[in-house]
């Protein structure tokens, strides 16, 4: 007497094959997507009387950037202790990061 097809199939092998096919499909999808391009622009500014770091960064920032993060990063890059107290004539650099 013949066994039915349900009893003859090795379900463990079917499960492993299905998992491998799923991993291959995910890997193909994951690595076929375009990568994100990050461009960095450096902006230099000579401080004028009455300038604050917040006002300078808010004018220089890109539309997708947060002013708070830009001020914090600029303070670190230029070694500034107080964002509200800038000496006129000092040249500061602001790094603008654009993600495409």
């Amino acid at each position: 007497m013949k066994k039915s097809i349900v009893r003859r199939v090795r379900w463990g092998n079917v499960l492993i094959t299905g998992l491998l096919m799923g991993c291959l499909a995910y890997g193909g999808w994951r690595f076929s997507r375009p990568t994100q391009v990050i461009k960095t622009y450096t902006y230099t500014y000579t401080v004028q009387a009455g300038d604050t770091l917040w006002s300078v960064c808010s004018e220089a920032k890109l539309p997708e950037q947060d002013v708070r993060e830009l001020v914090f990063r600029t303070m670190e890059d230029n070694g500034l202790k107080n964002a509200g107290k800038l000496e006129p004539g000092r040249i500061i650099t602001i790094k603008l990061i654009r993600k495409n």
Side-chain angles (χ1 to χ4, degrees):
M1 179 163 184
K2 280 186 159 184
K3 292 182 182 178
S4 69
I5 189 74
V6 175
R7 290 184 176 238
R8 284 188 281 162
V9 171
R10 296 184 183 183
W11 292 104
N13 292 345
V14 172
L15 178 65
I16 291 172
T17 304
L19 288 173
L20 286 175
M21 296 294 283
C23 289
L24 287 173
Y26 174 74
W29 170 78
R30 172 72 173 93
F31 294 111
S32 66
R33 295 185 306 166
T35 58
Q36 189 176 34
V37 178
I38 299 174
K39 294 181 181 179
T40 304
Y41 303 98
T42 304
Y43 177 71
T44 57
Y45 180 76
T46 304
V47 177
Q48 306 296 320
D51 281 342
T52 62
L53 192 57
W54 185 273
S55 65
V56 172
C57 288
S58 64
E59 289 181 19
K61 77 174 188 76
L62 297 172
E64 65 268 10
Q65 285 183 313
D66 185 17
V67 178
R68 295 171 293 185
E69 292 175 8
L70 188 59
V71 168
F72 181 73
R73 190 173 345 109
T74 303
M75 285 179 66
E76 285 183 338
D77 292 344
N78 292 287
L80 300 172
K81 302 288 183 202
N82 188 353
K85 192 174 182 182
L86 296 175
E87 304 89 27
R90 180 178 177 141
I91 298 174
I92 58 173
T93 59
I94 302 170
K95 291 182 184 172
L96 304 173
I97 299 173
R98 171 163 279 175
K99 297 178 184 179
N100 292 339

